[in-house]
Amino acid sequence: MTRRIIVLAAAALGALGLAGCQQDAGTTAAKPSTPASAVAVASAPASASAKPSAKASGSAKPSTGTKEAGAVPDICKLMSKAEVQTLTGESVTLMTDDGGSSPTSRYCQWQLSQGQLTVTVSLETRENFDIRNKQAQPVIGVGTTAYSLAGHLYVWQDGRDVDVYVSSESSDPANLSVARRTALQLLPRLEAASK
């Protein structure tokens, strides 16, 4: 779990250096009036603690029942820049991945002409995924189970926790709609790439 936090923190620091857009004070439940890049930085540790506090403390049960190590494919290869542009309505100005340093967690971030789209996939048990912050809102029709929290869409399917963060739209519901469409497009590709 520490490796996941390190990978997410590294991704967030990359976002901090690349994104300079300000986000509306009412668009994030966890961090009012913070820049979008700071939300990404805050969301790496915050998403771990905002979801289950047991994960952040290291007292969660071992991840039994997840896919084997190495089963998390390169997210940047599963979605093209053109597909990201179609999903977000924005041009992709930069694409960044994690370099494959962790066999159990991968991410890809697309910097957009306005905002960003970040997808992080980690191996996770359903039991751990189901430990949620009280402010989490269920999202129906995506994966086995899903919820939104602090601007992120978290989806669990087949031993994977898929975290989709979008900051390209004018409102939280619009960002959630883009995140939902992204997850629906990505989930079958994740399954196929992991076989």
Side-chain angles (χ1 to χ4, degrees):
M1 193 46 56
T2 301
R3 183 175 279 182
R4 177 179 177 192
I5 292 171
I6 291 170
V7 168
L8 290 173
L13 288 175
L16 180 62
L18 298 173
C21 302
Q22 287 289 342
Q23 190 171 6
D24 240 359
T27 61
T28 309
K31 305 284 184 199
S33 190
T34 22
S37 58
V39 170
V41 170
S43 69
S47 66
S49 62
K51 286 167 66 181
S53 59
K55 286 183 184 180
S57 69
S59 63
K61 293 183 180 180
S63 290
T64 57
T66 59
K67 300 287 182 181
E68 292 295 316
V72 181
D74 185 344
I75 308 306
C76 291
K77 291 182 180 177
L78 296 181
M79 287 181 40
S80 71
K81 289 180 181 180
E83 289 171 314
V84 170
Q85 182 171 343
T86 299
L87 285 165
T88 63
E90 301 289 338
S91 299
V92 175
T93 59
L94 179 68
M95 184 174 75
T96 310
D97 72 3
D98 59 7
S101 59
S102 171
T104 60
S105 183
R106 302 289 304 259
Y107 80 87
C108 188
Q109 181 178 71
W110 295 268
Q111 291 296 321
L112 307 171
S113 53
Q114 180 178 351
Q116 70 183 36
L117 169 65
T118 304
V119 177
T120 304
V121 178
S122 302
L123 299 181
E124 184 68 82
T125 64
R126 171 71 189 262
E127 181 180 37
N128 283 345
F129 183 84
D130 283 343
I131 302 169
R132 301 178 187 184
N133 184 296
K134 293 177 194 175
Q135 295 176 340
Q137 297 295 312
V139 176
I140 307 301
V142 183
T144 305
T145 185
Y147 64 91
S148 65
L149 178 66
H152 291 254
L153 171 64
Y154 297 98
V155 180
W156 188 89
Q157 182 171 307
D158 297 325
R160 293 181 197 88
D161 176 356
V162 179
D163 172 359
V164 183
Y165 174 76
V166 181
S167 68
S168 66
E169 299 299 321
S170 59
S171 68
D172 284 347
N175 283 329
L176 180 59
S177 176
V178 172
R180 190 176 194 283
R181 289 192 319 269
T182 301
L184 288 170
Q185 184 169 327
L186 187 62
L187 288 171
R189 295 175 186 187
L190 275 170
E191 183 64 27
S194 297
K195 289 185 178 183

